[in-house]
Amino acid sequence: MLHFAPESIWSIIALGLCFLLVCVFEFANGFHDTANAVATVIYTNSLKPKVAVVWSGLMNLLGVLLGGIAVAYTLVELLPPDVLSPPNGNPAVPMLVSLFGTALAWNLLTWWFGIPNSSSHCVIGSLVGIAIGDSFLHARDLGHSVDWNQIWKVLTTLALSPPLGFIGAGILFLIIRKFVHLPALYERPEPHHRPNPIVRTLLVTTCTLVSFSHGNNDGQKSIGLIMLTIIGLMPAAFALNPQVPLQYDMIRQDVQAARPLVAEFDRYSFKADALASIDRLEKGAEIHASPAETRGDIYQVLSGLRSVASNPATSGEQKKEAEALAKKLRPTVEYAPFWVRLLSALCLGVGTMIGYRRIVQTLGEGIGKTHLNPAQGAASEVVGAGLIMTAGYTGLPVSTTHIITSGVAGTMVASGSGINMHMLTKIALAWLFTLPVTITVSAILFYILA
């Protein structure tokens, strides 16, 4: 196995490459996911491509800035605490290389073939693979070393959102067709001809909604990944939130309240580590040599509290207490500087400007047996924006690609035009294989590198 010594030149180089990889991955995310937001306005000639992607980028930025960081750290918490903060002080180079290398490779492969695959699935599959690889590395029982409750919560949301997009967009299209009798809404776009001004205004509005909601949800995912990388690069500066002064007296009270809950109800293999972290945090600042060690201990306690909250044997009051304690501890270690949000939005926007064409053509002409009309595009985008934004504010990651693509398919079925089964099969196979492929590859990579 390969090892990266703390503060070695190889670790610094590897972390620098990881920072580049996370930017490239979010750039590739723009190929896939943000292209869905501009597909309809570009395909119907409502906006010129350059105008559309710049406008979409601005709305993505606004979504990132106003969206919070709940989704970002929902993903981060898929990782075991000892991977987030290795006990020997090593930077998390193996984790970052495995994560970004796997997710980026699969993202680019599917983009090359014009398949609207999900960047979210790539990231989540890679994170799950790292958690599994870490269990094998330390010869731990998978059932008690991986936070399956957190994983199933994320996977359930990913699984349910496409059918909701399919059904919701289909129903909305039928409602529009019944009550809105504007012929231009149902006509195939003509090359180089702008649509009716009313139609154009509608599609620009729905593009704006999807772009904002995408930044609100997908933009947060890259925030979490960027934070993982810069904490590895500069733990002294970024391991703890500079906007939340570390008050050991308050932390001591919180972890003392957490101790009996963790001791009785924590079901995972990290229980002993969580209790040891509580011991150190009770002793205060003199026991911690660096911010990274403090962060590591807080994450161990948070992991224990999540296990308490998900344990069926825990009473309702005890679950509320565990969740309240976790909420008080999180701001110390879960945050994102303003420049990280800007970087996330910038990478998304630039990726959209360069790679949108393949996905736009697939959505416009490949999913149905007839070309996408404005009413179908608007219905799929309105429903998609609503689902994505709702998930973003509740801290649940969803796939913009899956929701919008499913919505377009739903409108095709509702209109009676039918679905292009050849393209649908390609998309379905990509969706089907993304999780097992990324889980397997990242698990193997992490096991070899760690």
Short mmCIF file of all heavy atoms in Angstrom, two decimals, residues 81 84-87 89-91 231-232 234-240 246 248 288-299 333:
data_model
loop_
_atom_site.label_atom_id
_atom_site.label_comp_id
_atom_site.label_asym_id
_atom_site.label_seq_id
_atom_site.Cartn_x
_atom_site.Cartn_y
_atom_site.Cartn_z
N PRO A 81 -15.60 8.93 10.18
CA PRO A 81 -14.87 10.03 10.82
C PRO A 81 -13.35 9.87 10.76
O PRO A 81 -12.63 10.86 10.72
CB PRO A 81 -15.38 9.99 12.27
CG PRO A 81 -15.96 8.63 12.45
CD PRO A 81 -16.49 8.24 11.12
N LEU A 84 -12.22 11.34 7.46
CA LEU A 84 -12.27 12.80 7.45
C LEU A 84 -11.10 13.41 8.22
O LEU A 84 -10.55 14.43 7.82
CB LEU A 84 -13.58 13.28 8.09
CG LEU A 84 -14.83 13.16 7.21
CD1 LEU A 84 -16.08 13.35 8.03
CD2 LEU A 84 -14.78 14.16 6.08
N SER A 85 -10.72 12.81 9.31
CA SER A 85 -9.62 13.32 10.14
C SER A 85 -8.77 12.15 10.59
O SER A 85 -8.96 11.61 11.67
CB SER A 85 -10.16 14.07 11.35
OG SER A 85 -10.95 15.16 10.96
N PRO A 86 -7.81 11.72 9.74
CA PRO A 86 -7.00 10.56 10.09
C PRO A 86 -6.29 10.75 11.43
O PRO A 86 -5.73 11.81 11.69
CB PRO A 86 -5.99 10.49 8.95
CG PRO A 86 -6.65 11.20 7.81
CD PRO A 86 -7.46 12.27 8.44
N PRO A 87 -6.32 9.74 12.32
CA PRO A 87 -5.76 9.88 13.66
C PRO A 87 -4.25 10.12 13.68
O PRO A 87 -3.72 10.68 14.61
CB PRO A 87 -6.11 8.55 14.33
CG PRO A 87 -6.37 7.60 13.21
CD PRO A 87 -6.93 8.41 12.10
N GLY A 89 -2.64 12.03 11.64
CA GLY A 89 -2.32 13.36 11.13
C GLY A 89 -2.05 13.43 9.64
O GLY A 89 -1.79 14.49 9.10
N ASN A 90 -2.08 12.29 8.94
CA ASN A 90 -1.85 12.33 7.50
C ASN A 90 -2.93 13.12 6.80
O ASN A 90 -4.09 13.03 7.16
CB ASN A 90 -1.85 10.91 6.92
CG ASN A 90 -0.57 10.16 7.22
OD1 ASN A 90 0.34 10.71 7.80
ND2 ASN A 90 -0.52 8.92 6.81
N PRO A 91 -2.57 13.87 5.77
CA PRO A 91 -3.60 14.51 4.95
C PRO A 91 -4.45 13.43 4.28
O PRO A 91 -3.99 12.32 4.05
CB PRO A 91 -2.81 15.31 3.92
CG PRO A 91 -1.40 15.30 4.35
CD PRO A 91 -1.22 14.17 5.30
N ILE A 231 -9.10 21.87 3.56
CA ILE A 231 -8.77 21.48 4.94
C ILE A 231 -7.56 20.57 4.94
O ILE A 231 -6.69 20.64 5.81
CB ILE A 231 -9.98 20.82 5.63
CG1 ILE A 231 -11.04 21.88 5.94
CG2 ILE A 231 -9.58 20.13 6.93
CD1 ILE A 231 -12.38 21.31 6.36
N GLY A 232 -7.46 19.68 3.92
CA GLY A 232 -6.27 18.85 3.79
C GLY A 232 -5.04 19.66 3.44
O GLY A 232 -3.94 19.39 3.92
N MET A 234 -4.54 23.06 4.03
CA MET A 234 -4.17 24.04 5.06
C MET A 234 -5.02 23.84 6.32
O MET A 234 -5.91 24.64 6.62
CB MET A 234 -4.34 25.46 4.51
CG MET A 234 -3.39 25.80 3.39
SD MET A 234 -3.77 27.39 2.59
CE MET A 234 -5.18 26.92 1.57
N PRO A 235 -4.78 22.75 7.05
CA PRO A 235 -5.62 22.46 8.22
C PRO A 235 -5.57 23.53 9.30
O PRO A 235 -6.57 23.78 9.98
CB PRO A 235 -5.07 21.12 8.72
CG PRO A 235 -3.69 21.03 8.15
CD PRO A 235 -3.73 21.73 6.84
N ALA A 236 -4.44 24.18 9.46
CA ALA A 236 -4.33 25.19 10.51
C ALA A 236 -5.27 26.36 10.25
O ALA A 236 -5.80 26.97 11.19
CB ALA A 236 -2.89 25.68 10.60
N ALA A 237 -5.50 26.66 8.98
CA ALA A 237 -6.33 27.81 8.63
C ALA A 237 -7.80 27.46 8.46
O ALA A 237 -8.67 28.29 8.70
CB ALA A 237 -5.81 28.46 7.34
N PHE A 238 -8.10 26.20 8.03
CA PHE A 238 -9.47 25.89 7.62
C PHE A 238 -10.12 24.74 8.38
O PHE A 238 -11.30 24.45 8.15
CB PHE A 238 -9.50 25.58 6.12
CG PHE A 238 -9.22 26.77 5.25
CD1 PHE A 238 -7.97 26.93 4.67
CD2 PHE A 238 -10.18 27.73 5.05
CE1 PHE A 238 -7.69 28.03 3.88
CE2 PHE A 238 -9.91 28.84 4.25
CZ PHE A 238 -8.67 28.99 3.67
N ALA A 239 -9.39 24.08 9.29
CA ALA A 239 -9.99 22.94 9.99
C ALA A 239 -11.18 23.37 10.85
O ALA A 239 -12.16 22.64 10.99
CB ALA A 239 -8.94 22.24 10.86
N LEU A 240 -11.10 24.58 11.42
CA LEU A 240 -12.18 25.10 12.27
C LEU A 240 -12.70 26.40 11.70
O LEU A 240 -11.97 27.15 11.06
CB LEU A 240 -11.66 25.31 13.70
CG LEU A 240 -11.13 24.07 14.42
CD1 LEU A 240 -10.54 24.45 15.76
CD2 LEU A 240 -12.23 23.03 14.59
N LEU A 246 -13.69 29.28 19.07
CA LEU A 246 -13.74 28.01 19.79
C LEU A 246 -13.84 28.28 21.30
O LEU A 246 -12.94 28.86 21.90
CB LEU A 246 -12.47 27.21 19.48
CG LEU A 246 -12.48 25.75 19.88
CD1 LEU A 246 -13.58 24.99 19.16
CD2 LEU A 246 -11.13 25.11 19.59
N TYR A 248 -14.12 26.31 24.61
CA TYR A 248 -14.04 24.95 25.17
C TYR A 248 -15.03 24.73 26.30
O TYR A 248 -15.47 23.61 26.53
CB TYR A 248 -12.61 24.66 25.64
CG TYR A 248 -11.74 24.13 24.53
CD1 TYR A 248 -10.78 24.93 23.92
CD2 TYR A 248 -11.87 22.81 24.09
CE1 TYR A 248 -9.98 24.45 22.90
CE2 TYR A 248 -11.09 22.32 23.06
CZ TYR A 248 -10.13 23.14 22.48
OH TYR A 248 -9.35 22.66 21.46
N HIS A 288 -5.11 19.57 22.94
CA HIS A 288 -5.13 19.57 21.48
C HIS A 288 -3.96 20.37 20.93
O HIS A 288 -3.83 21.57 21.20
CB HIS A 288 -6.45 20.14 20.97
CG HIS A 288 -7.61 19.23 21.20
ND1 HIS A 288 -8.47 19.38 22.26
CD2 HIS A 288 -8.03 18.14 20.51
CE1 HIS A 288 -9.38 18.42 22.22
NE2 HIS A 288 -9.14 17.66 21.18
N ALA A 289 -3.14 19.69 20.13
CA ALA A 289 -1.96 20.33 19.58
C ALA A 289 -2.27 21.16 18.34
O ALA A 289 -1.49 22.03 17.97
CB ALA A 289 -0.90 19.28 19.23
N SER A 290 -3.37 20.89 17.67
CA SER A 290 -3.66 21.59 16.42
C SER A 290 -5.17 21.67 16.20
O SER A 290 -5.93 20.87 16.75
CB SER A 290 -3.02 20.84 15.25
OG SER A 290 -3.68 19.60 15.03
N PRO A 291 -5.60 22.64 15.35
CA PRO A 291 -7.02 22.72 15.00
C PRO A 291 -7.52 21.44 14.34
O PRO A 291 -8.69 21.06 14.51
CB PRO A 291 -7.08 23.91 14.03
CG PRO A 291 -5.88 24.72 14.35
CD PRO A 291 -4.83 23.75 14.78
N ALA A 292 -6.65 20.78 13.55
CA ALA A 292 -7.07 19.56 12.86
C ALA A 292 -7.45 18.47 13.86
O ALA A 292 -8.40 17.70 13.63
CB ALA A 292 -5.95 19.06 11.94
N GLU A 293 -6.71 18.38 14.97
CA GLU A 293 -7.04 17.38 15.99
C GLU A 293 -8.36 17.69 16.66
O GLU A 293 -9.17 16.79 16.94
CB GLU A 293 -5.91 17.29 17.01
CG GLU A 293 -4.62 16.69 16.45
CD GLU A 293 -3.53 16.63 17.50
OE1 GLU A 293 -3.79 17.04 18.65
OE2 GLU A 293 -2.43 16.17 17.18
N THR A 294 -8.60 18.97 16.92
CA THR A 294 -9.89 19.37 17.51
C THR A 294 -11.03 19.04 16.55
O THR A 294 -12.06 18.50 16.96
CB THR A 294 -9.89 20.88 17.80
OG1 THR A 294 -8.80 21.19 18.68
CG2 THR A 294 -11.20 21.30 18.47
N ARG A 295 -10.83 19.36 15.28
CA ARG A 295 -11.84 19.04 14.28
C ARG A 295 -12.10 17.53 14.24
O ARG A 295 -13.26 17.09 14.17
CB ARG A 295 -11.37 19.52 12.91
CG ARG A 295 -12.28 19.12 11.76
CD ARG A 295 -11.73 19.68 10.44
NE ARG A 295 -12.56 19.27 9.31
CZ ARG A 295 -12.39 18.17 8.61
NH1 ARG A 295 -11.41 17.32 8.95
NH2 ARG A 295 -13.17 17.87 7.59
N GLY A 296 -11.03 16.75 14.28
CA GLY A 296 -11.19 15.30 14.25
C GLY A 296 -12.01 14.79 15.42
O GLY A 296 -12.88 13.92 15.25
N ASP A 297 -11.77 15.34 16.59
CA ASP A 297 -12.52 14.90 17.77
C ASP A 297 -13.99 15.30 17.68
O ASP A 297 -14.88 14.53 18.05
CB ASP A 297 -11.89 15.50 19.04
CG ASP A 297 -10.64 14.74 19.47
OD1 ASP A 297 -10.52 13.55 19.12
OD2 ASP A 297 -9.79 15.34 20.16
N ILE A 298 -14.25 16.51 17.19
CA ILE A 298 -15.65 16.94 17.06
C ILE A 298 -16.38 16.06 16.05
O ILE A 298 -17.54 15.67 16.27
CB ILE A 298 -15.71 18.43 16.66
CG1 ILE A 298 -15.22 19.29 17.83
CG2 ILE A 298 -17.14 18.83 16.28
CD1 ILE A 298 -15.10 20.77 17.51
N TYR A 299 -15.71 15.70 14.95
CA TYR A 299 -16.35 14.82 13.96
C TYR A 299 -16.62 13.43 14.53
O TYR A 299 -17.62 12.79 14.19
CB TYR A 299 -15.51 14.72 12.69
CG TYR A 299 -16.06 15.57 11.58
CD1 TYR A 299 -15.34 16.65 11.07
CD2 TYR A 299 -17.32 15.33 11.05
CE1 TYR A 299 -15.85 17.45 10.06
CE2 TYR A 299 -17.85 16.11 10.06
CZ TYR A 299 -17.11 17.17 9.56
OH TYR A 299 -17.65 17.97 8.58
N VAL A 333 -17.21 23.06 12.75
CA VAL A 333 -16.46 22.32 11.74
C VAL A 333 -17.14 22.30 10.36
O VAL A 333 -16.51 21.89 9.38
CB VAL A 333 -16.22 20.86 12.20
CG1 VAL A 333 -15.29 20.82 13.39
CG2 VAL A 333 -17.54 20.16 12.53
#
